[in-house]
């Protein structure tokens, strides 16, 4: 996928998350046009693609659709990282290179995440008294309000379809 398309998908999703309400193609278009010249049909295609990939749901409102996010930014980011990692012919080398690009804050967040998920992994040792771990709720949601569990009740994570 061309980098520009991925950036446009991210820009559209950012608006859907920020506004936290059903949005139309026209609303997203008008906001994007403050930053760049873009056609209505381009935004419509991107939003349709996001719907086909399962990242937004849509409902008919008159002659238009209103789009709503299906999951959180954290879940979306995780799926993008998983997709990129799964495309590597050497996943271990890809992870080493990725870790090498991380800032100190990102490495600390990774260590916190590993401490949280490690006890749930098969064959993981029991937690030692005094082990530091962040509250699972905060880490799972990426700190975003309303992100509990990342997906609405009864819905599975969408396949990014890329």
């Amino acid at each position: 996928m061309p980098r520009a398309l991925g950036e446009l998908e991210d820009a559209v999703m950012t608006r859907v998350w920020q506004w936290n309400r059903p949005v139309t193609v026209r609303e997203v278009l008008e906001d994007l046009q403050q930053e760049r010249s873009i056609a209505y049909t381009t935004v419509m295609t991107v939003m349709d693609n996001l719907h086909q990939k399962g990242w937004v749901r849509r409902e008919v409102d008159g002659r238009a659709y209103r789009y709503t996010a299906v999951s959180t930014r954290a879940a979306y980011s995780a799926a993008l990282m998983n997709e990129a990692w799964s495309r590597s012919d050497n996943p271990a080398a890809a992870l080493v290179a990725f870790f090498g690009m991380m800032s100190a804050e990102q490495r600390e967040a990774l260590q916190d995440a590993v401490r949280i998920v490690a006890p749930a992994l098969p064959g993981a040792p029991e937690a030692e008294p005094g082990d530091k771990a962040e509250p699972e709720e905060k880490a799972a949601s990426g700190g975003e309000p309303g992100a509990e569990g990342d997906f609405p009740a009864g819905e599975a994570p969408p396949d990014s379809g890329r």
Side-chain angles (χ1 to χ4, degrees), residues 30-104:
E30 289 172 357
D31 199 59
L32 286 170
Q33 285 179 330
Q34 294 177 25
E35 299 171 6
R36 63 181 116 185
S37 177
I38 190 166
Y40 179 92
T41 54
T42 301
V43 177
M44 182 176 63
T45 299
V46 168
M47 293 185 82
D48 184 61
N49 288 344
L50 290 166
H51 175 257
Q52 296 300 322
K53 292 176 181 181
W55 290 110
V56 294
R57 71 174 54 97
R58 66 183 178 198
E59 295 179 16
V60 176
D61 183 13
R63 292 179 21 182
Y65 286 113
R66 288 203 173 267
Y67 294 84
T68 308
V70 169
S71 65
T72 64
R73 181 187 303 267
Y76 178 78
S77 296
L80 293 177
M81 288 187 287
N82 186 55
E83 174 192 335
W85 184 48
S86 69
R87 289 184 179 175
S88 173
D89 59 349
N90 187 340
L95 282 175
V96 169
F98 180 64
F99 296 157
M101 294 178 197
M102 291 180 152
S103 67

